[in-house]
Amino acid sequence: MAEAEEQETGSLEESTDESEEEESEEEPKLKYERLSNGVTEILQKDAASCMTVHDKFLALGTHYGKVYLLDVQGNITQKFDVSPVKINQISLDESGEHMGVCSEDGKVQVFGLYSGEEFHETFDCPIKIIAVHPHFVRSSCKQFVTGGKKLLLFERSWMNRWKSAVLHEGEGNIRSVKWRGHLIAWANNMGVKIFDIISKQRITNVPRDDISLRPDMYPCSLCWKDNVTLIIGWGTSVKVCSVKERHASEMRDLPSRYVEIVSQFETEFYISGLAPLCDQLVVLSYVKEISEKTEREYCARPRLDIIQPLSETCEEISSDALTVRGFQENECRDYHLEYSEGESLFYIVSPRDVVVAKERDQDDHIDWLLEKKKYEEALMAAEISQKNIKRHKILDIGLAYINHLVERGDYDIAARKCQKILGKNAALWEYEVYKFKEIGQLKAISPYLPRGDPVLKPLIYEMILHEFLESDYEGFATLIREWPGDLYNNSVIVQAVRDHLKKDSQNKTLLKTLAELYTYDKNYGNALEIYLTLRHKDVFQLIHKHNLFSSIKDKIVLLMDFDSEKAVDMLLDNEDKISIKKVVEELEDRPELQHVYLHKLFKRDHHKGQRYHEKQISLYAEYDRPNLLPFLRDSTHCPLEKALEICQQRNFVEETVYLLSRMGNSRSALKMIMEELHDVDKAIEFAKEQDDGELWEDLILYSIDKPPFITGLLNNIGTHVDPILLIHRIKEGMEIPNLRDSLVKILQDYNLQILLREGCKKILVADSLSLLKKMHRTQMKGVLVDEENICESCLSPILPSAKPFSVVVFHCRHMFHKECLPMPSMNSAAQFCNICSAKNRGPGSAILEMKK
């Protein structure tokens, strides 16, 4: 715990804490709490000397020779008075049913916690360590080791008597021991040994590195990571050792196993305890620092580090300074690190305090993020792990995030986050809206308000609309467009807009918004009037959507002035609702608009507006001369005399020419083309259309004294009139432009005609020959005659069964008995089908009749 509950440190420690906290921005990997309840009572009167941990309970030894069994909360469940002096070590088997205790006065006890089984022995020297067999509960594993000046193995024989054997001696006091599986590891003054209980062999000796340190002040720390991996911490050195099987070829007189050091590195501080954490290590370190003021060495807070071992070095993952009671007086040997493998709990034991470290869970992670004001990350973490978090709620974190954003002034982000965080909780939405109102930021939250599920109280929406109406007409109009009309009281908002229009009656934004409000309120008449006043593009959509044709009968001119194209399309598409007569009457005073309407009507249907065709002649002549001639051509209902009169009055030559020709006065029309337009090409084209010989004669007579006209006639007359008629009439000596080219063209045209005729003749002959051959092949084919065929004369079967017969079959598929046919005449030996001859049809026609 980076900051403990009680502060018992001096000024030097406080300054160190502050600097460390300022520099630390990384999230800690562990969390800490003091083991209290019964432990607090014990340590007020006594001091902790050792502790061991089982998954089910804790065993605490004290300096006054007491052993306490505690639950994981620190409550005392059982007490043993073992000795009047310090308890050096406590050992439990894996089942937690047997416990071994040794003390400073040489006493050793091994007994069952739930049985009467017990072993007592008192030695003449302090016993520093004890370790019971991990499977002591089994009858075959009744073994334990003790260590003082020598390491003894005690084993119960078959007579229930205990016998002992010396495993090692002569290298000073045994100060640490750990038993795992079949391997016992212990440390004395010279180094660390490992003993194989099965083969009864010592398999290694790992010497200690720094022999300058007193082994009683800086004891060795041992822990088994698994059945074959031993971690050794001594002074500032850490070694990770792996027990491996020796190959049979290498054994000879050597043990069957050997030890390989897989990792070795130095730490910054003295090691008081070790524990594994997955593939990492938890290291409890004793720290000494030098005061900058007094330059004296003092005991600082112990550190708990998580490190990642590498082959020759290590990487620090996290480091926490622990504030434990009385750390100023503690030595390296006073600290112990015990751990529970099943739950990754680490117990830091000192004489006056026991602190529990555990891996931080998702709730702790969120706590840290909230403390660092990383609300968005906290919210994301809570959403990802919502099934695993226990102390936090996503909603509470989200609300704290919104408050943080508001306090920071990020109003738009805060409002946007409301959508995700508040969800469908209408009460919370309303609470947040009022909060935004208090800080004058209703506009910020307006785009994100729910509009369907849930729906808030109408007052909330009205409050925001009034806020915009007072300061932002465009924003107000946007909300009216985007929000459904049933979210608020429409009449209240309409009245508010009308009140504002009293101050600014020409404001287009307010007028348009008022029209939309009238539309929501189904007051379409008022809405239409405003739209027409504003000349708004949505006026036609409004009319169509709500069928307002009855309301626009007296507003047709306004609609046409606004957009004549759309207005005419709408009126023509809805003739059943507004008649053609009504539209024409309404537009009587606006003939230019009347023409637009009637012109489009005529384009859609040449007959619907036939009663107005006479009127349209004048309208086209006045407003749309280019479309007059097409109208005259397409209309079958306009009076030609009236049209001719108007065109002659306005000197519309082309239209007059067309009308004259249509009325049968082609000569006058041709004359007008020649005299008024002086356009020989048009005259020739007109003569071609009429295809009248007299008209060609008039054209030739008119052109005979005009050389340019003669050139035009020579170039175009060849295919309609014999050019000789024109050439004979040309006066001798008259100069005609491009005469040579014109004559060449006449000859070329004549030659082309000859070629075309010859080509057509060849095609005709080839086709006739091909068809004749086809007919011949057809007539040469055999004809099927069977019992179903009959004689066309006597109507009896054509193939009699009893007598000889002779049959005649014509190409027309009519069949006769030979005797039924009349004798051929003397004039012609050829014989023909009587039936086809009677009908005056040629051979083969009967085939067509049968096919039918």
Side-chain angles (χ1 to χ4, degrees):
M1 115 190 113
E3 290 297 327
E5 296 171 359
E6 298 183 16
Q7 299 294 328
E8 299 181 359
T9 61
S11 59
L12 291 174
E13 173 228 343
E14 289 173 358
S15 63
T16 305
D17 293 349
E18 290 172 3
S19 63
E20 286 177 352
E21 287 173 4
E22 287 174 2
E23 294 173 1
S24 175
E25 279 299 324
E26 290 189 7
E27 181 180 0
K29 302 297 181 182
L30 302 172
K31 63 177 179 179
Y32 304 89
E33 62 182 13
R34 226 175 226 107
L35 198 61
S36 55
N37 300 321
V39 174
T40 304
E41 298 175 12
I42 295 168
L43 299 183
Q44 284 175 351
K45 303 173 183 178
D46 204 343
S49 60
C50 61
M51 191 171 81
T52 190
V53 177
H54 191 268
D55 292 342
K56 300 175 184 177
F57 61 91
L58 313 175
L60 177 68
T62 70
H63 279 261
Y64 288 171
K66 308 291 191 296
V67 175
Y68 296 90
L69 298 187
L70 312 168
D71 62 16
V72 291
Q73 281 80 35
N75 298 304
I76 301 172
T77 59
Q78 208 167 347
K79 175 184 175 184
F80 302 95
D81 289 319
V82 176
S83 170
V85 295
K86 175 184 173 184
I87 303 296
N88 283 330
Q89 193 164 5
I90 303 171
S91 177
L92 294 169
D93 68 350
E94 289 183 358
S95 67
E97 297 181 11
H98 295 83
M99 181 168 66
V101 182
C102 64
S103 59
E104 191 68 21
D105 59 359
K107 287 185 178 179
V108 174
Q109 292 187 27
V110 179
F111 54 92
L113 296 175
Y114 311 107
S115 66
E117 187 177 5
E118 191 172 4
F119 169 86
H120 289 274
E121 185 71 39
T122 302
F123 296 88
D124 58 357
C125 65
I127 301 300
K128 299 295 184 181
I129 57 98
I130 186 170
V132 300
H133 194 294
H135 304 295
F136 193 88
V137 70
R138 301 176 187 172
S139 59
S140 60
C141 298
K142 299 298 184 181
Q143 297 172 314
F144 66 91
V145 292
T146 63
K149 293 182 179 180
K150 52 188 174 181
L151 185 68
L152 296 175
L153 172 64
F154 290 85
E155 187 173 7
R156 194 169 70 179
S157 64
W158 62 278
M159 293 291 291
N160 284 334
R161 293 183 180 179
W162 291 90
K163 63 177 182 177
S164 63
V166 178
L167 298 183
H168 187 70
E169 63 179 335
E171 293 184 358
N173 284 334
I174 312 298
R175 300 190 181 277
S176 180
V177 66
K178 292 292 178 182
W179 194 332
R180 180 72 173 251
H182 302 303
L183 299 175
I184 304 172
W186 72 91
N188 56 27
N189 292 351
M190 304 304 293
V192 176
K193 282 75 175 171
I194 299 177
F195 184 81
D196 188 341
I197 200 71
I198 300 298
S199 64
K200 304 294 185 181
Q201 289 179 311
R202 195 175 74 188
I203 61 176
T204 191
N205 175 36
V206 182
R208 69 185 177 116
D209 296 330
D210 190 355
I211 59 174
S212 64
L213 296 175
R214 286 175 52 185
D216 59 329
M217 298 298 292
Y218 298 91
C220 178
S221 297
L222 301 174
C223 76
W224 287 98
K225 181 180 179 180
D226 51 45
N227 287 343
V228 294
T229 305
L230 177 67
I231 304 169
I232 304 170
W234 207 336
T236 59
S237 172
V238 176
K239 295 177 182 177
V240 180
C241 305
S242 178
V243 179
K244 298 186 176 182
E245 297 289 337
R246 198 183 299 275
H247 194 271
S249 62
E250 299 175 351
M251 280 191 185
R252 300 180 185 143
D253 296 330
L254 298 175
S256 60
R257 294 182 177 185
Y258 69 98
V259 171
E260 179 182 330
I261 298 176
V262 296
S263 177
Q264 180 175 350
F265 53 88
E266 294 291 321
T267 61
E268 186 178 356
F269 306 109
Y270 297 112
I271 298 167
S272 293
L274 293 168
L277 177 63
C278 299
D279 61 338
Q280 299 170 342
L281 290 180
V282 179
V283 180
L284 176 63
S285 301
Y286 170 69
V287 181
K288 280 191 173 183
E289 295 181 353
I290 298 176
S291 170
E292 294 179 0
K293 295 181 180 179
T294 63
E295 296 185 357
R296 292 172 56 190
E297 193 174 57
Y298 67 95
C299 297
R301 294 186 301 169
R303 304 185 71 88
L304 192 69
D305 300 333
I306 298 177
I307 60 177
Q308 178 68 57
L310 303 174
S311 58
E312 296 181 358
T313 182
C314 66
E315 179 185 350
E316 184 181 280
I317 306 301
S318 72
S319 181
D320 299 323
L322 310 179
T323 303
V324 298
R325 295 187 181 100
F327 68 87
Q328 300 91 334
E329 291 84 25
N330 293 338
E331 297 291 341
C332 183
R333 63 183 176 182
D334 294 324
Y335 293 110
H336 306 281
L337 180 63
E338 301 292 337
Y339 66 98
S340 172
E341 293 185 22
E343 301 179 18
S344 294
L345 296 176
F346 305 93
Y347 295 84
I348 298 93
V349 183
S350 69
R352 294 177 54 192
D353 212 351
V354 179
V355 175
V356 184
K358 61 178 70 175
E359 285 190 277
R360 296 169 64 85
D361 57 17
Q362 201 64 18
D363 281 301
D364 300 313
H365 174 58
I366 292 170
D367 281 334
W368 184 83
L369 291 172
L370 293 175
E371 181 184 341
K372 297 297 180 182
K373 299 189 181 301
K374 299 182 179 182
Y375 291 94
E376 187 165 10
E377 293 178 34
L379 185 61
M380 190 181 302
E383 289 171 347
I384 293 172
S385 307
Q386 56 183 324
K387 293 182 179 179
N388 299 325
I389 56 177
K390 299 174 183 177
R391 292 187 285 106
H392 293 93
K393 294 181 180 178
I394 294 176
L395 180 59
D396 293 339
I397 298 171
L399 292 174
Y401 185 24
I402 293 172
N403 291 337
H404 169 69
L405 291 170
V406 169
E407 290 171 5
R408 207 169 65 181
D410 293 331
Y411 303 115
D412 186 66
I413 299 175
R416 197 182 320 129
K417 293 297 179 183
C418 286
Q419 279 186 311
K420 179 180 178 181
I421 294 166
L422 304 182
K424 298 182 180 181
N425 193 323
L428 281 177
W429 268 108
E430 292 170 5
Y431 173 77
E432 290 297 328
V433 170
Y434 280 112
K435 193 162 71 175
F436 273 77
K437 182 179 185 298
E438 289 175 5
I439 58 176
Q441 292 295 329
L442 278 177
K443 289 184 180 180
I445 201 171
S446 64
Y448 310 106
L449 281 185
R451 304 170 190 180
D453 184 17
V455 175
L456 310 184
K457 294 176 182 176
L459 181 62
I460 299 294
Y461 301 100
E462 292 166 16
M463 182 169 64
I464 292 176
L465 289 172
H466 279 292
E467 177 77 14
F468 275 91
L469 191 56
E470 293 295 330
S471 58
D472 184 1
Y473 288 162
E474 291 296 335
F476 174 76
T478 300
L479 290 184
I480 293 297
R481 280 196 304 273
E482 293 178 353
W483 285 359
D486 56 355
L487 292 180
Y488 47 85
N489 189 330
N490 201 62
S491 59
V492 172
I493 304 302
V494 167
Q495 187 58 48
V497 175
R498 292 175 66 178
D499 292 342
H500 276 265
L501 281 171
K502 291 176 183 178
K503 306 172 190 175
D504 187 3
S505 59
Q506 299 304 313
N507 189 291
K508 291 185 177 181
T509 302
L510 284 183
L511 285 170
K512 179 184 171 185
T513 307
L514 182 60
E516 291 175 358
L517 289 168
Y518 278 139
T519 303
Y520 296 148
D521 211 19
K522 298 185 179 180
N523 191 346
Y524 302 121
N526 288 342
L528 181 61
E529 190 173 339
I530 294 174
Y531 277 136
L532 285 173
T533 303
L534 294 174
R535 302 170 72 87
H536 193 273
K537 60 182 179 61
D538 290 342
V539 65
F540 297 102
Q541 183 182 350
L542 181 71
I543 295 168
H544 277 293
K545 186 175 181 180
H546 302 292
N547 197 19
L548 303 179
F549 296 99
S550 59
S551 303
I552 64 169
K553 289 182 178 179
D554 56 345
K555 299 180 176 65
I556 293 174
V557 175
L558 286 174
L559 287 168
M560 293 284 286
D561 280 335
F562 172 40
D563 190 334
S564 60
E565 195 74 22
K566 285 186 177 181
V568 169
D569 286 338
M570 181 187 69
L571 292 169
L572 292 177
D573 289 340
N574 296 276
E575 289 178 29
D576 55 329
K577 297 166 184 173
I578 302 179
S579 66
I580 297 172
K581 181 181 179 183
K582 175 64 177 174
V583 176
V584 173
E585 288 174 356
E586 286 293 319
L587 299 175
E588 195 63 43
D589 296 332
R590 297 289 299 276
E592 73 280 8
L593 298 178
Q594 196 178 58
H595 164 68
V596 172
Y597 175 77
L598 290 173
H599 172 65
K600 201 140 195 177
L601 174 64
F602 179 75
K603 285 291 185 184
R604 287 198 179 191
D605 191 326
H606 293 346
H607 307 290
K608 270 190 178 179
Q610 61 184 15
R611 61 186 294 187
Y612 303 108
H613 283 196
E614 183 176 347
K615 177 190 282 287
Q616 281 186 269
I617 299 171
S618 301
L619 293 174
Y620 275 112
E622 183 68 28
Y623 302 108
D624 192 6
R625 163 80 187 279
N627 282 315
L628 174 58
L629 186 56
F631 169 74
L632 294 173
R633 284 176 176 158
D634 294 339
S635 174
T636 57
H637 304 289
C638 68
L640 298 180
E641 294 82 0
K642 177 70 174 176
L644 182 61
E645 181 185 346
I646 292 173
C647 291
Q648 286 176 339
Q649 287 175 357
R650 293 177 176 266
N651 197 26
F652 290 170
V653 178
E654 291 186 14
E655 290 80 358
T656 303
V657 168
Y658 170 74
L659 290 170
L660 288 171
S661 65
R662 186 171 170 184
M663 294 169 71
N665 196 350
S666 300
R667 285 190 163 184
S668 298
L670 180 63
K671 184 179 180 181
M672 180 169 280
I673 293 172
M674 301 295 286
E675 293 179 354
E676 297 289 338
L677 297 179
H678 305 288
D679 188 345
V680 65
D681 292 330
K682 195 169 188 66
I684 293 170
E685 190 66 31
F686 180 76
K688 287 179 181 179
E689 289 176 1
Q690 302 301 317
D691 196 20
D692 185 350
E694 292 183 359
L695 212 56
W696 281 108
E697 183 67 24
D698 290 346
L699 180 56
I700 291 170
L701 288 174
Y702 182 83
S703 304
I704 201 65
D705 58 347
K706 299 177 180 64
F709 277 40
I710 293 174
T711 301
L713 284 171
L714 288 172
N715 287 334
N716 294 281
I717 201 173
T719 56
H720 295 80
V721 180
D722 187 353
I724 298 300
L725 295 175
L726 174 61
I727 293 170
H728 282 319
R729 295 187 184 186
I730 298 173
K731 297 177 182 179
E732 290 187 13
M734 180 182 287
E735 289 189 10
I736 300 171
N738 300 317
L739 176 61
R740 178 177 174 278
D741 293 340
S742 299
L743 292 174
V744 169
K745 185 176 185 303
I746 290 173
L747 293 174
Q748 287 176 342
D749 291 344
Y750 179 76
N751 187 42
L752 181 62
Q753 289 181 17
I754 297 299
L755 290 174
L756 287 173
R757 287 178 183 176
E758 288 179 356
C760 291
K761 181 180 178 183
K762 288 180 180 178
I763 293 169
L764 182 62
V765 170
D767 286 350
S768 299
L769 182 60
S770 174
L771 291 172
L772 180 62
K773 290 179 179 178
K774 183 178 179 181
M775 185 182 73
H776 183 260
R777 284 196 304 271
T778 303
Q779 291 181 345
M780 291 298 291
K781 289 181 180 179
V783 179
L784 175 65
V785 180
D786 57 19
E787 291 81 359
E788 295 182 359
N789 297 112
I790 60 172
C791 174
E792 298 291 344
S793 178
C794 66
L795 302 180
S796 60
I798 197 71
L799 300 175
S801 56
K803 58 182 179 178
F805 62 90
S806 179
V807 176
V808 177
V809 181
F810 291 96
H811 291 299
C812 60
R813 298 302 188 263
H814 289 137
M815 303 178 185
F816 298 89
H817 295 126
K818 187 172 183 180
E819 58 270 20
C820 294
L821 279 173
M823 294 297 292
S825 64
M826 296 298 294
N827 297 329
S828 175
Q831 198 167 15
F832 298 98
C833 173
N834 292 345
I835 298 173
C836 294
S837 298
K839 294 181 179 179
N840 294 320
R841 295 186 302 183
S845 59
I847 294 175
L848 297 175
E849 191 175 74
M850 288 176 68
K851 287 182 179 179
K852 292 178 184 177

